[in-house]
Amino acid sequence: MTTILNADLHCHSVVSDGTLTPEALAERAKTNGVELWALTDHDEIGGQHRAAAAAHAQGMAYLTGTEISVTFADTTVHIVGLGFDPDNAQLAQGLAATRGGRRERAQDMADQLAKVGIQGAYEGALQFVGNPDLISRTHFARFLVESGVCKDTSEVFRKYLIEGKPGYVAHRWAQLGDAVRWITEAGGMAVIAHPARYKFTANEEFALFSEFKAHGGRGVEVVTGSHSAAEYVTYAAMAQEFGLAASRGSDFHSPTESHTDLGTLPLLPGALTPVWELLADRIVR
């Protein structure tokens, strides 16, 4: 019997590019009826002990989490890790290496923006950064809104910071196999995050799922903040085709920026195996 839970297994805190602390996220998740929660900061596990303690204080079950940036087919793909040992040295080292190029990339982004008349973008973005090693496009976007260049972050990502626009700088992230291995060898499960976002051809998407499975990946986000109702159906079928467990997560970053709040997504379709059934022994209560 499939366990139906209001689980939110994808969100971000000030440790990466969210605007709330792990404690505030835990409180918000509990208020919104979340029964099982995971904090999945980008390429970082530094908030895990705080998040687990905060979940415990709220009487909410917890799974450790992270979201690793991977380069696949010249595209940045995100792999969520769930249920791993947060003190695993190999995972920590891999994430540190993945974070390594962010500052240099950020400087290059600022230089590009300066060429189109937007000065001080690096320093401006830093005002929004909790962890300078994790400076990202999101922080630049907040600066561009705050300084009046754009009215909201949606406008930012139409005019700047994406391929072909000022401020876009590609970054070589981790390899898919490395990311999956770091997660699984730390006792966790690797999950393809928000697959509809990647705009792959059918062949590229098939290659991603096939390689992911071959490396030991075991799950895919089916219900997530950026998926439409039709995409829930598409990726439920993909989960079944590839024998993957299904995950659910809002990808919440901020009360003012995120379209989907913690805990407000539709439940997983009942025919799927939820990731939490395979991670039952990793859940902290």
Side-chain angles (χ1 to χ4, degrees):
M1 178 68 184
T2 298
T3 312
I4 302 299
L5 280 181
N6 186 348
D8 199 316
L9 305 179
H10 188 162
C11 69
H12 302 273
S13 77
V14 293
V15 176
S16 64
D17 61 345
T19 62
L20 300 183
T21 63
E23 293 79 11
L25 284 170
E27 183 177 358
R28 192 179 188 95
K30 179 67 174 180
T31 299
N32 288 353
V34 172
E35 299 164 274
L36 174 64
W37 177 55
L39 172 65
T40 57
D41 279 312
H42 289 285
D43 304 313
E44 177 62 89
I45 51 178
Q48 288 305 305
H49 289 294
R50 285 174 64 186
H56 181 74
Q58 295 288 341
M60 187 167 52
Y62 187 74
L63 275 170
T64 52
T66 189
E67 185 176 16
I68 304 179
S69 306
V70 165
T71 300
F72 184 86
D74 295 323
T75 299
T76 299
V77 169
H78 290 152
I79 301 297
V80 164
L82 297 171
F84 52 80
D85 173 5
D87 299 314
N88 181 272
Q90 186 180 25
L91 174 60
Q93 288 162 8
L95 295 179
T98 301
R99 294 195 299 272
R102 282 184 184 261
R103 289 201 199 206
E104 294 81 358
R105 178 183 181 233
Q107 292 279 10
D108 291 343
M109 290 164 66
D111 290 345
Q112 279 203 24
L113 291 170
K115 289 175 184 173
V116 295
I118 301 169
Q119 303 298 325
Y122 182 75
E123 294 74 17
L126 278 177
Q127 298 172 42
F128 299 93
V129 176
N131 181 348
D133 286 339
L134 285 171
I135 188 168
S136 71
R137 292 189 308 165
T138 304
H139 301 118
F140 279 88
R142 289 176 187 149
F143 163 71
L144 291 172
V145 172
E146 182 74 18
S147 58
V149 175
C150 296
K151 70 177 189 299
D152 55 30
T153 53
S154 295
E155 184 182 350
V156 173
F157 288 113
R158 286 197 305 274
K159 295 182 175 180
Y160 304 98
L161 310 181
I162 61 170
E163 192 165 3
K165 302 292 185 181
Y168 175 77
V169 178
H171 188 99
R172 298 296 300 182
W173 301 111
Q175 295 300 303
L176 177 64
D178 289 337
V180 175
R181 179 172 51 80
W182 297 336
I183 293 163
T184 55
E185 290 185 358
M189 177 191 292
V191 176
I192 299 173
H194 41 61
R197 276 185 36 188
Y198 306 126
K199 312 305 179 193
F200 282 141
T201 65
N203 284 343
E204 288 168 338
E205 185 173 73
F206 186 88
L208 170 65
F209 275 71
S210 299
E211 283 198 34
F212 174 77
K213 182 90 188 266
H215 286 302
R218 298 174 65 202
V220 59
E221 280 184 353
V222 172
V223 177
T224 184
S226 57
H227 280 187
S228 66
E231 287 162 350
Y232 300 157
V233 175
T234 297
Y235 290 100
M238 290 285 278
Q240 290 177 312
E241 178 183 351
F242 283 89
L244 298 172
S247 194
R248 174 184 189 267
S250 58
D251 200 5
F252 180 83
H253 284 72
S254 162
T256 57
E257 296 169 14
S258 297
H259 300 298
T260 305
D261 207 344
L262 286 156
T264 62
L265 287 165
L267 296 171
L268 281 180
L272 302 175
T273 300
V275 293
W276 52 86
E277 289 192 356
L278 304 184
L279 288 167
D281 62 337
R282 308 297 297 176
I283 295 173
V284 180
R285 301 185 187 276

